Amino acid sequence: MTTGRGFGGTGRTSDAEEFDAFYAACAGRVVGHVYTLTGNRAEAEDAVAEAFTRAWQRWSTVRDADSPEAWVRRVASRIAVSTWRKAFNRIRAHRRAAVDLSVPGLTEDHVALLQALQQLSAVERRAVVLHHLNDMSVADVAAEMEKPVGTVKTYLARGRRAMAGMLTEADHEEAPHG
């Protein structure tokens, strides 16, 4: 149910049942994807809820998309990026720190990974998350991002190179000197 067609329905009741099944099948994955992009579960859940609301409003069109899940993921990602930009500008305006390192349940490695991802450009971060954390092929990432495969490969190479440097620096900073 995550890719391809197959959500055709005829009546409003079956539309609701069909949409409920679609939601149940992929909502968790979409929240996980957006959470990885934003580093904030509440923002991810809000963006995904809004994306599913929009999908329901356009269900007759979304159900026939090549991948309704990709449609929702793309909309949720755009909503999250918009929210992130607003928050970033608000934080910058107030000169507050943006990272809370004391999130329960996160290991130091998770925090380092999220911080490294946040340092990438939005397109690099999206490509890295889709390919490496969502296990999508480069071709699928290119299709979802609506970019040529070569461009996605460039985003991935730049993102990996930047993150390797950041994560290596973090390891060296934590190593005991002596």
Side-chain angles (χ1 to χ4, degrees):
M1 277 195 179
T2 60
T3 60
R5 299 176 198 279
F7 288 106
T10 55
R12 194 67 173 162
T13 301
S14 67
D15 284 354
E17 292 168 355
E18 177 183 60
F19 186 82
D20 288 348
F22 166 66
Y23 178 87
C26 67
R29 285 190 300 272
V30 178
V31 169
H33 167 78
V34 178
Y35 169 66
T36 306
L37 289 175
T38 64
N40 183 308
R41 183 155 182 101
E43 286 179 19
E45 289 171 346
D46 288 347
V48 171
E50 177 62 25
F52 273 105
T53 298
R54 293 179 188 182
W56 171 244
Q57 292 167 344
R58 298 164 181 79
W59 185 236
S60 62
T61 302
V62 173
R63 82 156 51 93
D64 293 329
D66 287 338
S67 173
E69 181 174 342
W71 188 95
V72 171
R73 188 171 44 239
R74 189 170 31 257
V75 170
S77 297
R78 289 176 180 161
I79 291 168
V81 167
S82 176
T83 301
W84 181 81
R85 284 184 183 140
K86 289 175 191 172
F88 180 77
N89 289 333
R90 186 171 49 250
I91 289 168
R92 187 189 313 161
H94 294 287
R95 298 175 192 242
R96 293 186 208 139
V99 178
D100 179 10
L101 298 177
S102 63
V103 176
L106 293 180
T107 66
E108 290 180 22
D109 290 341
H110 285 112
V111 172
L113 177 62
L114 290 173
Q115 287 177 327
L117 283 167
Q118 293 302 314
Q119 299 303 311
L120 301 179
S121 71
V123 293
E124 289 170 354
R125 180 172 50 249
R126 187 168 178 216
V128 167
V129 168
L130 287 170
H131 182 65
H132 292 290
L133 300 177
N134 286 1
D135 292 325
M136 292 175 67
S137 70
V138 173
D140 289 344
V141 173
E144 179 152 334
M145 293 181 72
E146 299 174 344
K147 301 286 184 190
V149 169
T151 301
V152 170
K153 287 180 179 179
T154 300
Y155 292 157
L156 289 168
R158 288 179 183 164
R160 285 190 296 254
R161 190 176 327 117
M163 288 182 65
M166 286 181 259
L167 295 173
T168 302
E169 287 174 18
D171 288 343
H172 289 304
E173 290 172 6
E174 292 176 8
H177 299 288

